[in-house]
């Protein structure tokens, strides 16, 4: 499903080159629920950006559902992000001027769905995360937990191959955080593949496998290659 | 729904940068105003000039007799060529493309008396076709010289409007008797006021016209001073001119290639040339207006650049959700098009109002009369809309290109 081999990522700022990832090998199977952990500066976010096709590796091969994505052009990558990746961010990253429904609708617009389909899918997903009666509210009118549920609904909009969550409970109180974790577990039980980057052991304890990163390398839980 | 969202974003930004967007919209409106206004003045000038040209006559050519410069059929050069009624008949018969043709006797320094006032003026002996051909249209209540006047050599006179005013003042002229060379003439009509640019022997408004036969009987002229013809189709003017040379050449025995045998004033081609000049002026005016609009376009581009910076995070979010380059770009281009066309609409409405007001103000002064009234034509509207579209497109394009190069990884971290 996801297979990374010898991935390195070097950031060059002026004359200084920083090696964020130094040879990552990682496999994520279909319908797996994994967490990626590691101290700050270990390359978690860089790895997530690469898996999410927001960025391309300096070296190495990355296969997403058997497709080599390392050297695709930006428009193709956008298409892959649209159809195969669902992002859930720590700070939600919802469009502030749009309602909950409109936020869920955005990826469907880019996919080119008709309004009828967008309405059906959007309503269905918001119902699934328990926000059916909040569809017409804007992010400022929602609590943190509700905002994160909107962004989960948005991540599910195009029925992605994998959901990538970056510290999804980082900005939430413990009650809301637990609700979000429950949603992820439900999604996993429904057959979704989920990768969560987290510091929170409460999440990682409920995942199948913990991938540990240190200094740009996977030190534990790389999966069977 | 997608476009609906774009409008939502646009109006949200409108609230945030109300002052900036209002100023830019005003700049676009002002630019549109100047381009439409200048083009409208160009259009007015063109219409007025065309009217002024037609004051002399529409599609006419004026001929004077000349001197031969090429020996022909045993005859030497330097012979004088002059016209009389026979030439008119020949042209009528031989050249079907000619609509009207007529000769003109003319005499300067003729005394004219009405009551106690005497003036020294020009008198022309004319044919009825001059009414249409040389636009000698009578004012209400009057008429021009007709065939019966010609046949009976009536002593009737048609006065130029300015001459009438100077000689008779505000008196109703038709039916009154004036003395020309101490011979009584009845006034049959006064010319309608017209704008006349081209002229020979003075403007028509200062001339007195009497029947050609009457003229000949009084002064005994044998030859016309001028021969005038009007073509049916202005595009055939060159061909007709050649035919005229051939026809008159065979009668007067001069080489049709001898251009000096006749002296020709081709008002048809002159007008065509002149119109090219007017088109040049209109383009020049349009370019000036376009420049103003261009500056306004720079203002729009400036706003859009600011918007790109402000929305970096939003662009990043959209990219993460699968927006392609063109999705990002089209939003900014659409927004600048909205500003351009909204401002343009305001400008067009404003200009239309000003033009309506200007058209309602009567103009007496002669210089302004030649300038004419600004007129908005469909051509102007189309040009303006195309220019506005281009300005909107370009002022959105470059900022949108910057937006499309936003790095999603960095912009998602951007606060």
């Amino acid at each position: 499903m996801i297979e990374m081999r010898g991935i390195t990522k070097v950031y060059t700022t002026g004359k200084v080159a920083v090696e964020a990832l130094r040879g990552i090998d990682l496999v994520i199977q279909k319908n797996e629920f994994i967490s990626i952990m590691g101290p700050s500066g270990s390359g978690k976010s860089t790895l997530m950006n690469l898996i999410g096709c927001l960025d391309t590796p300096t070296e190495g091969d990355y296969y997403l559902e058997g497709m080599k994505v390392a050297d695709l052009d930006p428009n193709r990558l956008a298409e892959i992000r649209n159809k195969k990746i669902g992002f859930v961010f720590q700070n939600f990253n919802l469009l502030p001027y749009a309602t909950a429904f409109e936020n869920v609708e955005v990826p469907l617009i880019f996919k080119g769905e008709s309004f009828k389909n967008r309405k059906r899918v959007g309503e269905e997903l918001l119902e699934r995360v328990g926000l059916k009666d909040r569809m017409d509210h804007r992010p400022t009118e929602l609590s943190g937990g509700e905002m994160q549920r909107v962004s989960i609904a948005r991540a599910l909009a195009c029925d992605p191959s994998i959901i990538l969550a970056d510290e999804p409970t980082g900005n939430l109180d413990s009650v809301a955080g637990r609700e979000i974790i429950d949603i992820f577990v439900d999604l996993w039980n429904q057959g979704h593949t989920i990768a969560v980057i987290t510091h929170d052991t409460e999440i990682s304890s409920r995942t199948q496998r913990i991938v540990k990163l240190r200094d740009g390398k996977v030190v534990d839980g790389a999966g069977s290659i | 729904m997608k476009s609906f969202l774009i409008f939502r974003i646009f109006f949200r930004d409108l609230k945030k940068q109300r002052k900036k967007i209002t100023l830019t919209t005003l700049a676009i409106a002002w630019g549109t105003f100047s381009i439409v206004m200048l083009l409208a003045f160009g259009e007015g000038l063109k219409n007025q000039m065309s009217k002024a040209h037609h004051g002399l006559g529409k599609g006419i050519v004026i001929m004077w007799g000349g001197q031969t410069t090429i020996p022909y059929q045993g005859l030497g050069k330097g012979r004088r060529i002059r016209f009389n009624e026979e030439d008119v008949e020949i042209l009528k018969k031989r050249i079907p493309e000619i609509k009207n043709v007529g000769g003109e006797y003319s005499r300067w320094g003729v005394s004219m008396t009405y009551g106690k006032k005497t003036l020294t003026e020009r008198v022309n002996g004319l044919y009825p076709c001059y009414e249409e051909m040389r636009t000698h249209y009578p004012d209400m209540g009057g008429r021009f010289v007709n065939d019966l006047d010609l046949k009976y050599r009536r002593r009737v006179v048609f006065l130029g409007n300015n001459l009438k005013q100077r000689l008779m003042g505000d008196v109703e002229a038709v039916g009154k008797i004036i003395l020309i060379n101490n011979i009584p003439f009845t006034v049959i009509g006064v010319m309608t006021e017209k704008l006349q640019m081209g002229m020979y022997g003075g403007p028509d408004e200062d001339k007195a016209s009497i029947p050609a036969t009457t003229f000949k009987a009084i002064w005994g002229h044998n030859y016309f001073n001028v021969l005038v013809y009007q073509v049916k189709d202005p595009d055939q003017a060159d061909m007709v001119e050649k035919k005229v040379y051939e026809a008159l050449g065979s009668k007067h025995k001069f080489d049709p290639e001898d251009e000096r045998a006749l002296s020709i004033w081709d008002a048809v081609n002159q007008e065509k040339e002149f119109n090219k000049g007017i088109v040049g002026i209109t383009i020049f005016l349009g370019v000036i207006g376009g420049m103003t609009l261009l500056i306004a376009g720079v203002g729009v581009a400036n706003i859009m650049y600011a918007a790109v910076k402000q929305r970096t995070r939003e662009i990043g979010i959209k990219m993460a959700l699968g927006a392609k380059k063109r999705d990002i770009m089209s939003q900014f281009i659409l927004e600048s098009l909205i500003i351009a066309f909204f401002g343009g609409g305001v400008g067009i409405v404003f200009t239309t109002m000003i033009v309506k007001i200007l058209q309602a103000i009567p103009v007496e002064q002669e210089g302004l009369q030649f300038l004419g009234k600004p007129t908005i034509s469909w051509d102007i509207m189309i040009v303006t809309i195309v220019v506005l579209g281009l300005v909107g497109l370009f002022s959105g394009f470059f900022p949108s290109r910057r937006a499309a190069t936003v790095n999603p990884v960095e912009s998602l971290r951007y606060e």
Side-chain angles (χ1 to χ4, degrees), chain B residues 232-362:
Chain B
K232 284 177 182 156
D233 176 2
D235 290 334
Q236 291 179 331
D238 288 335
M239 186 263 282
V240 172
E241 195 174 312
K242 220 172 152 203
K243 278 189 165 181
V244 167
Y245 266 94
E246 280 164 11
L248 295 180
S250 77
K251 187 203 165 218
H252 293 275
K253 297 198 168 37
F254 65 80
D255 191 333
E257 303 292 313
D258 188 352
E259 289 193 353
R260 302 285 289 274
L262 303 175
S263 139
I264 280 197
W265 175 12
D266 184 347
V268 182
N269 277 323
Q270 190 193 12
E271 190 187 341
K272 275 186 201 156
E273 291 302 314
F274 193 86
N275 282 345
K276 282 182 200 162
I278 295 279
V279 168
I281 291 175
T282 308
I283 290 173
F284 174 70
L285 292 174
V287 167
I288 293 177
M291 294 288 188
T292 320
L293 201 51
L294 200 72
I295 293 169
V298 172
V300 176
N302 197 10
I303 280 208
M304 297 320 290
Y305 272 119
V308 170
K309 202 164 163 53
Q310 248 176 22
R311 288 188 227 155
T312 303
R313 174 122 171 264
E314 179 186 318
I315 295 165
I317 295 173
K318 285 185 178 166
M319 282 179 159
L321 298 179
K324 291 183 184 154
K325 258 189 177 153
R326 66 180 146 91
D327 295 317
I328 302 289
M329 286 176 80
S330 60
Q331 185 195 337
F332 287 95
I333 291 174
L334 198 74
E335 280 186 38
S336 67
L337 280 176
I338 293 173
I339 296 178
F341 279 112
F342 180 70
V346 171
I348 286 170
V349 168
F350 186 59
T351 318
T352 313
M353 270 160 36
I354 297 274
V355 165
K356 283 264 186 294
I357 291 169
L358 283 180
Q359 280 176 341
I361 299 172

Side-chain angles (χ1 to χ4, degrees), chain B residues 135-273:
Chain B
T135 58
H136 282 50
Y137 295 115
D139 244 343
M140 287 250 279
R143 65 173 178 86
F144 189 64
V145 173
N146 64 21
D147 287 326
L148 287 175
D149 296 332
L150 218 57
K151 190 176 171 193
Y152 297 116
R153 296 179 196 167
R154 282 177 182 160
R155 290 195 299 271
V156 292
V157 62
F158 177 83
L159 293 174
N161 48 308
N162 189 35
L163 172 60
K164 180 257 163 188
Q165 198 61 34
R166 284 187 289 123
L167 184 65
M168 308 171 78
D170 292 328
V171 181
E172 171 60 51
V174 176
K176 298 281 188 315
I177 309 283
I178 66 169
L179 299 178
I180 297 178
N181 239 7
N182 286 323
I183 304 164
F185 276 75
T186 308
V187 178
I188 51 170
V190 177
M191 195 176 77
T192 306
E193 192 181 342
K194 67 178 180 184
L195 200 58
Q196 180 185 3
M197 195 157 57
M199 56 186 73
Y200 54 93
D204 294 341
E205 61 180 15
D206 282 327
K207 293 176 185 172
S209 310
I210 63 174
T213 49
T214 315
F215 188 102
K216 213 173 160 186
I218 295 173
W219 285 289
H221 284 210
N222 286 320
Y223 298 104
F224 291 132
N225 290 57
V226 187
L227 197 70
V228 181
Y229 68 81
Q230 184 178 31
V231 293
K232 284 177 182 156
D233 176 2
D235 290 334
Q236 291 179 331
D238 288 335
M239 186 263 282
V240 172
E241 195 174 312
K242 220 172 152 203
K243 278 189 165 181
V244 167
Y245 266 94
E246 280 164 11
L248 295 180
S250 77
K251 187 203 165 218
H252 293 275
K253 297 198 168 37
F254 65 80
D255 191 333
E257 303 292 313
D258 188 352
E259 289 193 353
R260 302 285 289 274
L262 303 175
S263 139
I264 280 197
W265 175 12
D266 184 347
V268 182
N269 277 323
Q270 190 193 12
E271 190 187 341
K272 275 186 201 156
E273 291 302 314

Side-chain angles (χ1 to χ4, degrees), chain A residues 135-207:
Chain A
M135 282 212 313
D136 297 323
H137 290 242
R138 302 204 180 176
T140 44
E141 299 156 352
L142 298 173
S143 70
E146 285 171 330
M147 281 198 268
Q148 197 58 299
R149 280 191 270 163
V150 172
S151 71
I152 290 171
R154 182 179 67 179
L156 292 169
C158 293
D159 193 19
S161 313
I162 182 164
I163 294 166
L164 293 177
D166 187 359
E167 301 278 10
T169 56
N171 281 5
L172 302 177
D173 60 63
S174 55
V175 177
R178 222 163 288 136
E179 278 171 21
I180 295 299
I181 298 168
D182 288 341
I183 291 177
F184 278 124
V185 172
D186 281 349
L187 289 173
W188 169 46
N189 288 334
Q190 285 159 23
H192 286 278
T193 312
I194 302 164
V196 186
I197 291 179
T198 188
H199 280 112
D200 190 350
T201 47
E202 203 173 330
I203 301 185
S204 58
S205 64
R206 296 181 70 177
T207 60

